[in-house]
Amino acid sequence: NRNSLLQILNDESGLQELVKALPSKKSSLIILEATGGYEKRAADYLRRKKYRVAIVNAKRVRDFAKASGKLAKTDRIDAQTIMLFGKAFNPAAQPLVSDEEEKRQQNIGRRDQLVRMIATEKQHLEHSSDIIKKAINKHILYLEKELVIIEKQLKELFSQDPELKDKIERLDEIKGVGEVTAMNILIHLPELGKLSHKEVSALAGVAPFNKDSGQSKGKREIWGGRAPVRAALYMAVLAARK
């Protein structure tokens, strides 16, 4: 009911209360806005209960709200906007990931954090005193050791799945693509091998879009897609060019 608002806690008891208020599973598509991981508990719980759940990009929802003339932001308005967004675009529901997929996602996420922290610490070295540099280098050494451990764990997780292991070996044959890049792509783009090359290119954000108007032919540009995949492919291209 678009005129009612149910507020619950994001825990087991709250989600049980939510399920009681939801309509039938067959006629429902649950739309959740991506909120930095806070939506995951609810999404996984509902998927285990056999509900169809789609997690959508928060920026797309805000752009939709602005285009609809909704500039104010409250819980009630947000809930109604997300519902209208779902009805307008009918986003695809994502499946519940397996325990193995969850481990791979968490490990690749942790690897990305370590890489960013190492890069940040190296930037701090430039304007630090000798005493501080010593502490920073010590921290960098620790982070690099952690990075080696996490990458080893990732390789072990992939080696346990024959299909994924085969895909990594095939991707690794491409110039510029290493094991880590291949793992990143396979984790964030599980549709690879199941869709056409045009569909996968669009999902990855590397498909050029037209910008034409009348007789004018605009410059083709890539846009959107899954940021982790685009970043991994960008680095692969830089390596291949060298």
Side-chain angles (χ1 to χ4, degrees), residues 4-227:
S4 65
L5 178 68
L6 172 67
Q7 291 183 314
I8 61 164
L9 294 174
N10 189 17
D11 58 16
E12 188 79 15
S13 61
L15 293 171
Q16 288 175 356
E17 183 183 350
L18 173 63
V19 168
K20 292 177 183 177
L22 291 175
S24 69
K25 299 170 186 177
K26 291 183 179 180
S27 60
S28 299
L29 173 62
I30 313 300
I31 313 293
L32 297 177
E33 192 179 63
T35 54
Y38 288 104
E39 77 288 348
K40 191 176 186 307
R41 180 197 290 267
D44 288 350
Y45 181 89
L46 291 170
R47 285 166 181 154
R48 285 194 293 269
K49 295 294 183 181
K50 307 303 181 184
Y51 280 93
R52 294 186 303 128
V53 179
I55 298 176
V56 297
N57 185 294
K59 186 179 183 303
R60 287 190 64 196
V61 175
R62 288 310 305 158
D63 289 345
F64 174 80
K66 291 176 183 177
S68 304
K70 296 182 183 295
L71 302 181
K73 184 173 172 61
T74 66
D75 288 344
R76 182 183 294 276
I77 292 172
D78 283 353
Q80 291 178 348
T81 301
I82 293 170
M83 179 188 69
L84 293 172
F85 177 90
K87 287 184 175 181
F89 296 101
N90 192 30
Q94 299 103 2
L96 178 68
V97 300
S98 65
D99 290 341
E100 290 73 21
E101 287 175 299
E102 178 73 17
K103 289 177 184 176
R104 290 193 290 268
Q105 288 177 2
Q106 289 188 0
N107 274 271
I108 202 72
R110 180 56 182 163
R111 182 192 177 276
D112 291 342
Q113 291 171 356
L114 290 168
V115 169
R116 287 197 296 270
M117 284 191 285
I118 291 169
T120 300
E121 285 290 63
K122 286 182 177 179
Q123 290 172 356
H124 293 159
L125 280 172
E126 188 175 353
H127 303 292
S128 299
S129 66
D130 291 341
I131 295 175
I132 300 301
K133 282 182 179 179
K134 185 177 180 180
I136 292 174
N137 281 320
K138 185 178 179 180
H139 190 212
I140 290 174
L141 183 61
Y142 168 78
L143 292 173
E144 288 176 340
K145 287 179 179 178
E146 288 294 303
L147 184 60
V148 171
I149 292 171
I150 210 81
E151 288 183 352
K152 183 180 178 181
Q153 290 174 351
L154 268 170
K155 291 175 183 178
E156 289 175 354
L157 287 170
F158 272 86
S159 67
Q160 294 168 8
D161 188 313
E163 184 179 349
L164 286 176
K165 185 179 178 182
D166 177 63
K167 286 183 177 180
I168 282 185
E169 290 173 353
R170 291 166 65 185
L171 287 171
D172 195 27
E173 293 175 358
I174 302 171
K175 187 175 291 187
V177 176
E179 278 189 310
V180 174
T181 299
M183 289 188 289
N184 219 322
I185 292 169
L186 292 173
I187 288 172
H188 295 296
L189 196 62
E191 298 90 347
L192 190 64
K194 301 173 185 176
L195 301 176
S196 69
H197 66 280
K198 290 184 178 181
E199 290 172 318
V200 169
S201 296
L203 281 177
V206 296
F209 289 95
N210 295 352
K211 285 194 174 182
D212 301 337
S213 180
Q215 299 299 315
S216 174
K217 299 293 182 181
K219 182 181 178 182
R220 272 53 177 161
E221 294 180 351
I222 60 174
W223 182 85
R226 297 178 187 171

